[in-house]
Amino acid sequence: MNLDKKSLLLHSCCGPCSTAVLERLVEDFDVTIFFYNPNITEAEEYNHRLEEQKRYIKEANLPVAVIEAEYNVQDYYNVVLGLEQEPEGGARCTECFKLRLQKTAEYAKEHGYDCWDTTLTVSPYKNSKKIHEIGNAINEDFLAGDYKKKDGYKRSIELSKQYNLYRQHFCGCEFAK
C-alpha cells in the first residue's frame, strides 16, 4: 500500500470495463479491485469474467490487487424478485446496482479504504446518473467517477483489443441475455 495515495476500493464488473478506469486511477490512488457480481447468473460466465479481470491486471503490470467477494447468485435473485419482466435499464437494473454498490461500500468501510467507486459508469449502456444517486445515498466516501467521459468507453475498447480481452455483450444476468 502506498501511503502517499488514498486507498480506493473499485467495484469491477469485468476486465474490459476496468481497463480505461484503472488507467485513469492508478496514478492517483492505491486501487484494489472488488469483484462482486452475483448478477452474472451462469457460473461459467462469472469465472470467465473474473479470470479475464485478473489476466488484464497481470499482463498490464498494474499495481492492483483483486478481491473476489462471495459469488452467490441468490443474492441477485432476491433483490430482483418480481422485476424479471422489467426492461433493460429499468427497476431490475437499479436494484442490481444497489446490491453491488452497497456490498462494495460495506467492504470499503470494514477494511478502512479512503473511498470507493465502480467501473459501471464507463459503459454508455449504464445510467451514470442513477449509479451516482445510489452511490452518494450510500455514503460520502463514494468517488462518483463518470468514466465514459473523455472517451473512456472508446479507450476501454482499444485496451480490450490490445490485451485480447473477452468482451461480453450483456451484463451477465439471464434477463438481459
Side-chain angles (χ1 to χ4, degrees):
M1 180 179 276
N2 184 335
L3 298 177
D4 296 332
K5 296 180 182 180
K6 284 188 171 189
S7 59
L8 169 66
L9 186 67
L10 182 65
H11 166 263
S12 177
C13 55
C14 63
C17 285
S18 75
T19 57
V21 178
L22 286 171
E23 187 176 67
R24 290 182 186 183
L25 294 174
V26 293
E27 196 161 316
D28 297 322
F29 293 93
D30 184 14
V31 181
T32 300
I33 289 289
F34 187 67
F35 197 85
Y36 176 65
N37 298 292
N39 60 300
I40 304 173
T41 52
E42 295 175 11
E44 184 177 335
E45 178 75 15
Y46 173 89
N47 289 324
H48 192 174
R49 292 184 191 199
L50 175 60
E51 290 310 310
E52 286 292 274
Q53 176 70 78
K54 291 176 182 177
R55 183 174 68 80
Y56 168 68
I57 290 169
K58 183 178 180 181
E59 290 182 11
N61 198 31
L62 296 172
V64 175
V66 176
I67 295 169
E68 180 186 357
E70 180 184 9
Y71 175 57
N72 184 351
V73 176
Q74 196 57 49
D75 290 345
Y76 171 73
Y77 285 128
N78 289 343
V79 300
V80 301
L81 185 64
L83 302 172
E84 297 87 351
Q85 301 306 314
E86 283 286 314
E88 190 66 17
R92 183 184 64 247
C93 295
T94 298
E95 292 307 310
C96 179
F97 296 153
K98 285 180 186 176
L99 172 67
R100 294 189 282 164
L101 296 179
Q102 183 65 48
K103 184 79 161 188
T104 305
E106 288 170 4
Y107 190 94
K109 184 175 183 177
E110 289 170 9
H111 293 86
Y113 287 86
D114 295 313
C115 52
W116 62 279
D117 207 349
T118 181
T119 62
L120 290 169
T121 62
V122 79
S123 172
Y125 305 107
K126 302 288 184 261
N127 184 333
S128 295
K129 183 179 178 192
K130 177 60 70 181
I131 292 167
H132 290 159
E133 286 173 7
I134 294 165
N136 287 322
I138 292 171
N139 71 34
E140 68 279 357
D141 297 329
F142 183 56
L143 196 58
D146 190 349
Y147 301 108
K148 75 175 101 340
K149 291 184 175 181
K150 298 180 185 174
D151 288 328
Y153 181 68
K154 179 181 174 189
R155 181 67 179 145
S156 75
I157 292 171
E158 292 168 356
L159 287 166
S160 294
K161 286 179 182 175
Q162 178 182 337
Y163 288 93
N164 195 31
L165 294 175
Y166 162 65
R167 287 186 57 84
Q168 63 287 336
H169 300 287
F170 72 113
C171 68
C173 85
E174 69 176 277
F175 310 110
K177 195 171 186 180

